């Protein structure tokens, strides 16, 4: 199969805005210590409100935003109607959710913070990241034989 | 102003900013906030190996890879130009518990005594780095999302499967932090 060459510079520049959102997001991760293993340990020991406050207020702001987008039929910058996809329930949310929870607490990171941790210079986290890629791949390989 | 930029940000600043990622991605390009799918796109791009789960046009999802690259750059910029001057201040109870395992350095994002390149080849380090990473990748894909896709995007759009997933993330985390991690750190 021949690889399609990505269309000119416009193709890539259209993605830069997502990188900028990512940069801002990564800065918040560091500044609010969300990427700290220690903050995650406090959260799972109920020793600090910090992470609960962050996740809780993020959800509230997200909910209000989605409500406003729907209510006022706000469009994308290109004028498209914004699409919301429903999540379909499967037992994977239970089994996979529990397994991810174990990984989150032992590494002190969910997928987003992994990238930010590497960015701050914690190079050993590259191994955690590669292992997360391996975990994703193994799931893809065995998907059909796992209970869902 | 300088203090605002250089000190740690409180939850009521950081949480709403993270919440605003949801409308930002929707309005900029009709994209649903989610990070763990980037791992899947990287698998699809680099080693699809004829696995049907990875046979899709990952280039259509390239925005997500730009987004996570941005997170990495954001981490780099913040750590080099806006870093918090003091180590994370942690609950004294946690400090006491961790000191029992020889963890007293809070200056890194990971506990430097147990998560470092040398410890990678010890059982403790291997579990915390390699096995932990594997659980993140396997678990998030099995659950169909992570803290961003389920807990923030899913709950923001009132998806009950995301509430189930979020509860399971938390249960798994509580079990690990309180019951299993003490055993791992004692190795």
């Amino acid at each position: 199969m021949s690889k399609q060459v990505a269309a000119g510079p416009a193709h890539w520049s259209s993605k830069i805005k997502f990188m900028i959102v990512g940069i801002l997001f990564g800065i918040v991760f560091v500044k609010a210590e969300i990427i700290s293993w220690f903050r995650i340990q406090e959260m799972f020991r109920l020793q600090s409100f910090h992470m609960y406050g962050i996740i809780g207020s993020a959800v509230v702001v997200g909910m209000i935003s989605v409500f406003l987008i729907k209510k006022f039929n706000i469009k994308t910058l290109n004028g498209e109607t914004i699409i919301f996809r429903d999540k379909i329930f499967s037992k994977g949310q239970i089994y996979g959710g529990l397994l991810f929870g174990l990984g989150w607490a032992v590494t002190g990171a969910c997928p987003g913070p992994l990238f930010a941790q590497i960015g701050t210079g914690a190079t050993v986290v590259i191994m955690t990241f590669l292992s997360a890629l391996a975990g994703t791949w193994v799931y893809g390989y065995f998907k059909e034989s796992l209970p869902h | 102003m300088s203090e605002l930029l250089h000190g740690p940000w409180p939850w009521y600043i950081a949480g709403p900013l993270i919440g605003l990622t949801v409308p930002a991605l929707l309005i900029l390009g009709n994209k649903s906030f989610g990070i763990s799918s980037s791992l899947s796109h990287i698998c699809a791009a680099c080693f699809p190996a004829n696995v049907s789960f990875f046979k899709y046009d990952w280039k259509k999802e390239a925005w997500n890879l730009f987004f996570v690259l941005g997170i990495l750059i954001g981490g780099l910029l913040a750590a080099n130009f806006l870093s918090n001057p003091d180590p994370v201040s942690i609950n004294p109870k946690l400090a006491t518990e961790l000191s029992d395992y020889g963890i007293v350095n809070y200056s890194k994002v990971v506990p430097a005594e147990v998560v470092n390149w040398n410890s990678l080849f010890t059982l403790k380090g291997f579990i915390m780095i390699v096995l932990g990473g594997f659980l993140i990748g396997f678990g998030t894909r099995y659950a169909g999302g992570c803290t961003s896709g389920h807990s923030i995007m899913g709950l923001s759009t009132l998806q009950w499967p995301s509430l189930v997933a979020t509860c399971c993330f938390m249960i798994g985390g509580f079990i690990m932090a309180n019951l299993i991690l003490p055993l791992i750190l004692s190795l």
Side-chain angles (χ1 to χ4, degrees):
Chain A
M1 203 169 70
S2 69
K3 273 202 172 169
Q4 194 122 33
V5 179
H11 177 80
W12 295 106
S13 62
S14 69
K15 307 286 190 293
I16 296 299
K17 58 193 177 202
F18 299 112
M19 195 171 86
I20 293 167
V21 178
I23 290 173
L24 298 174
F25 194 76
I27 292 173
V28 176
F29 268 180
V30 174
K31 292 304 296 176
E33 300 172 337
I34 296 165
I35 62 168
S36 166
W37 182 88
F38 301 95
R39 285 265 173 253
I40 303 302
Q41 299 311 318
E42 282 180 337
M43 168 174 73
F44 286 128
R45 286 170 178 74
L46 299 174
Q47 290 168 339
S48 163
F49 178 72
H50 187 72
M51 288 302 303
Y52 293 100
I54 286 176
I55 298 174
S57 59
V59 171
V60 170
V61 169
M63 270 181 190
I64 295 170
S65 308
V66 169
F67 173 79
L68 293 174
I69 286 173
K70 287 182 174 169
K71 177 153 175 89
F72 296 105
N73 196 18
I74 295 170
K75 310 278 191 208
T76 68
L77 288 184
N78 294 338
E80 295 166 37
T81 301
I82 290 177
I83 302 164
F84 295 98
R85 286 176 209 82
D86 283 336
K87 306 263 184 195
I88 297 154
F89 178 74
S90 88
K91 288 191 209 97
Q93 278 131 21
I94 297 170
Y95 303 133
L98 290 171
L99 291 172
F100 164 53
L102 297 174
W104 185 10
V106 74
T107 61
C110 25
L114 282 183
F115 292 99
Q117 286 181 340
I118 295 169
T120 64
T123 53
V124 70
V125 179
I126 292 171
M127 298 309 293
T128 316
F129 166 73
L130 291 176
S131 207
L133 279 184
T136 302
W137 193 90
V138 169
Y139 169 76
Y141 189 83
F142 289 108
K143 180 175 188 271
E144 301 307 325
S145 38
L146 293 166
H148 278 90
Chain B
M1 187 65 195
S2 161
E3 190 172 323
L4 186 69
L5 282 177
H6 288 279
W9 292 354
W11 64 266
Y12 50 85
I13 302 285
L17 286 175
I18 289 174
L20 286 175
T21 311
V22 170
L25 293 176
L26 287 169
I27 290 170
L28 284 174
N30 228 340
K31 307 300 183 197
S32 285
F33 181 37
I35 295 176
S36 64
S37 39
S38 65
L39 301 171
S40 188
H41 305 329
I42 295 170
C43 287
C46 300
F47 11 83
N50 226 13
V51 176
S52 61
F53 187 70
F54 299 118
K55 280 194 209 159
Y56 61 89
D57 186 7
W58 61 270
K59 287 195 191 116
K60 280 196 177 147
E61 308 295 331
W63 76 272
N64 195 258
L65 300 175
F66 279 79
F67 180 62
V68 296
L69 178 66
I71 296 176
L72 191 147
I73 297 170
L76 191 144
L77 293 176
N80 287 286
F81 303 108
L82 302 166
S83 68
N84 299 338
D86 303 314
V88 177
S89 84
I90 68 170
N91 188 301
K93 275 190 217 149
L94 181 63
T96 309
E97 184 193 331
L98 293 179
S99 67
D100 289 346
Y101 306 116
I103 298 171
V104 290
N105 177 356
Y106 315 137
S107 66
K108 301 274 162 57
V109 292
V110 287
E113 293 90 345
V114 288
V115 178
N116 59 57
W117 282 103
N118 292 326
S119 75
L120 190 56
F121 304 101
T122 64
L123 184 59
K124 196 195 302 190
F126 184 84
I127 293 173
M128 293 189 63
I129 298 165
V130 178
L131 187 65
F134 188 90
L135 287 169
I136 295 175
F138 187 89
T140 52
R141 209 66 274 120
Y142 198 174
C146 61
T147 335
S148 54
H150 274 311
S151 308
I152 295 177
M153 187 66 196
L155 293 185
S156 293
T157 51
L158 311 176
Q159 301 294 310
W160 70 269
S162 294
L163 183 61
V164 173
T166 301
C167 291
C168 292
F169 299 163
M170 297 306 294
I171 293 169
F174 275 99
I175 293 173
M176 173 56 77
N178 295 285
L179 305 177
I180 309 177
L181 189 63
L183 304 176
I184 299 171
L185 290 174
S186 305
L187 285 172

